[in-house]
Amino acid sequence: MTDTPGEPLPRQRRHTLFFLEVIREFSPVFLDTEVDMTRVLAHRATALESTGVRYATTAYVLRAAGRVLAAHPDANAAIRGGVGRPRIARYPFVNGKLALDRTLDGRRVVLGSVVPDLHTAELPAVQAHLDRVRDGDPDRLEDFEGIRKLHRLPWPEGRRTFRQAAGSLALRPHLTGTFSVSSLGHRAVDSFHSVGGTTTTFGVGRILDRPVARGGEITVAPVLRLSLAFDHRAIDGAEAADVLTEVKEALESV
């Protein structure tokens, strides 16, 4: 049997491979919880009726996590290096990266868009950012110009450029955020865990009616399964559990 030579990887996927190579340094640990989304869905319905704006689930998660991480500077941080001489940077602002399923140059890929200043940004501003990057053309949006340039470079130069940028603690919060959110809730995915290249990454599944206990009785409520992957080099499980719990509480009290 002759070996199948295969073909070169599409250049539109280069940034994903470069990213996966960089995050091998991470030491991820995974947590998850369930969030009662009754109040979020009620808020969304009221906003849609009164303003015509439909807020995405990820907009609520980004805003809630931004407020929570502002109170947890060790979690709102980036670390570089392993056991040898690691360096950590804590940031006075909170930027959240959202992973997007988009088509770039004719191929379906994952793109990341950083929503800035989530420690102070209100929901309309968060949703406006999401609408812009979801409705805009990835082949033209300025947000993705860096990725497009990366794809045009020869493979070795692109790989080197990506690693240099990812290694900069000053650039990282503007390229990958100080935390990440990834959602597959638009499909039949209840929960999942991913590593977004940040100290904390939230995974958002679908909202589904599930039995819950209230006042000693079983009822049905819309429930979101929310996961958290955290880099154990930067924080420990107790603080990660605090972050996840506080985001859950923020969503349940919208």
Side-chain angles (χ1 to χ4, degrees):
M1 181 182 296
T2 59
D3 185 34
T4 302
E7 60 185 34
L9 186 83
R11 58 186 174 81
Q12 298 93 330
R13 292 196 53 78
R14 288 181 181 179
H15 67 282
T16 299
L17 262 69
F18 296 155
F19 168 77
L20 292 173
E21 182 181 25
V22 166
I23 65 170
R24 288 176 185 170
E25 296 179 347
F26 278 59
S27 297
V29 180
F30 305 100
L31 310 175
D32 63 73
T33 191
E34 292 188 342
V35 182
D36 185 338
M37 297 291 280
T38 300
R39 296 187 67 166
V40 166
L41 294 187
H43 183 276
R44 174 190 284 170
T46 299
L48 182 61
E49 181 178 356
S50 61
T51 68
V53 176
R54 178 178 175 82
Y55 290 113
T57 301
T58 48
Y60 290 98
V61 174
L62 283 162
R63 182 184 183 278
R67 299 302 200 274
V68 169
L69 286 168
H72 290 270
D74 286 340
N76 189 55
I79 191 168
R80 180 184 64 212
V83 177
R85 297 185 63 183
R87 306 290 295 179
I88 191 165
R90 298 172 182 85
Y91 303 104
F93 53 86
V94 185
N95 291 349
K97 182 189 73 173
L98 178 65
L100 301 167
D101 173 25
R102 298 305 313 272
T103 298
L104 180 64
D105 194 21
R107 182 167 293 273
R108 189 178 184 181
V109 296
V110 174
L111 297 174
S113 179
V114 176
V115 186
D117 300 324
L118 286 168
H119 55 297
T120 56
E122 296 297 343
L123 201 59
V126 177
Q127 186 61 47
H129 182 105
L130 300 189
D131 289 341
R132 181 177 61 79
V133 295
R134 283 174 171 164
D135 297 340
D137 183 357
D139 291 323
R140 297 179 179 275
L141 281 173
E142 185 179 350
D143 306 62
F144 307 125
E145 176 59 21
I147 293 297
R148 296 193 298 265
K149 286 182 177 179
L150 192 71
H151 292 167
R152 293 193 292 266
L153 293 174
W155 180 281
E157 186 179 349
R159 179 173 178 265
R160 182 172 61 252
T161 299
F162 189 95
R163 289 190 66 85
Q164 288 175 346
S168 169
L169 293 178
L171 287 177
R172 200 181 297 179
H174 306 290
L175 298 176
T176 62
T178 62
F179 76 99
S180 303
V181 173
S182 187
S183 173
L184 292 175
H186 61 292
R187 304 298 286 171
V189 175
D190 291 339
S191 63
F192 73 105
H193 299 79
S194 66
V195 177
T198 48
T199 294
T200 56
T201 301
F202 294 89
V204 180
R206 62 177 173 170
I207 299 172
L208 198 64
D209 284 344
R210 302 182 189 276
V212 298
R214 288 180 178 168
E217 296 184 355
I218 299 297
T219 187
V220 174
V223 172
L224 166 72
R225 287 183 174 159
L226 182 68
S227 70
L228 174 66
F230 71 93
D231 189 346
H232 210 333
R233 297 176 303 165
I235 59 173
D236 295 325
E239 181 151 23
D242 289 344
V243 168
L244 183 59
T245 299
E246 290 169 29
V247 172
K248 166 186 166 70
E249 292 170 348
L251 291 170
E252 291 181 340
S253 61
V254 165

